[in-house]
């Protein structure tokens, strides 16, 4: 959590999207991550092909389209 806070508090990094990749799917962890400024919270998927597809979408999609496309993946968590 400290690294995330430092990134968000540093002006040079404020605008950089942050993807949090975690083994936790606890609601309080997800909510805290989004409160601290995470762009996307991913839980560790069982299928690494899924992770590869999620990362492909993140890199190639516009911000408006991103969550619409990612909503089909169970490992993508929203607050």
């Amino acid at each position: 959590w400290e690294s995330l806070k430092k990134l968000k508090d540093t002006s040079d990094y404020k605008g950089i999207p942050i993807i949090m990749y975690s083994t936790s799917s606890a609601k309080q962890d997800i909510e805290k991550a989004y409160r601290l400024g995470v762009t996307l919270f991913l839980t560790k998927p069982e299928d690494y092909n899924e992770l590869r597809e999620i990362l492909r979408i993140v890199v190639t999609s516009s911000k408006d389209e991103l969550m619409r496309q990612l909503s089909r993946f169970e490992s993508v968590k929203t607050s």
Side-chain angles (χ1 to χ4, degrees):
W1 299 114
E2 289 302 313
S3 297
L4 177 58
K5 288 178 188 177
K6 285 181 182 181
L7 280 172
K8 287 303 187 177
D9 289 344
T10 303
S11 61
D12 290 343
Y13 302 115
K14 276 188 178 179
I16 295 174
I18 296 174
I19 299 172
M20 186 168 220
Y21 184 66
S22 176
T23 57
S24 174
S25 61
K27 186 176 181 172
Q28 66 269 20
D29 290 339
I30 296 165
E31 290 173 348
K32 183 176 183 178
Y34 280 110
R35 240 189 351 270
L36 292 174
V38 164
T39 307
L40 186 63
F41 189 99
L42 297 175
T43 57
K44 193 173 183 178
E46 292 179 24
D47 178 3
Y48 282 94
N49 288 323
E50 179 179 314
L51 176 61
R52 187 176 22 243
E53 177 66 8
I54 290 168
L55 293 176
R56 185 196 63 75
I57 291 168
V58 168
V59 171
T60 62
S61 296
S62 68
K63 187 175 181 179
D64 294 333
E65 191 176 338
L66 183 64
M67 289 311 288
R68 184 185 65 75
Q69 285 203 35
L70 293 177
S71 65
R72 66 181 182 197
F73 296 102
E74 189 176 318
S75 58
V76 175
K77 304 297 181 191
T78 59
S79 57

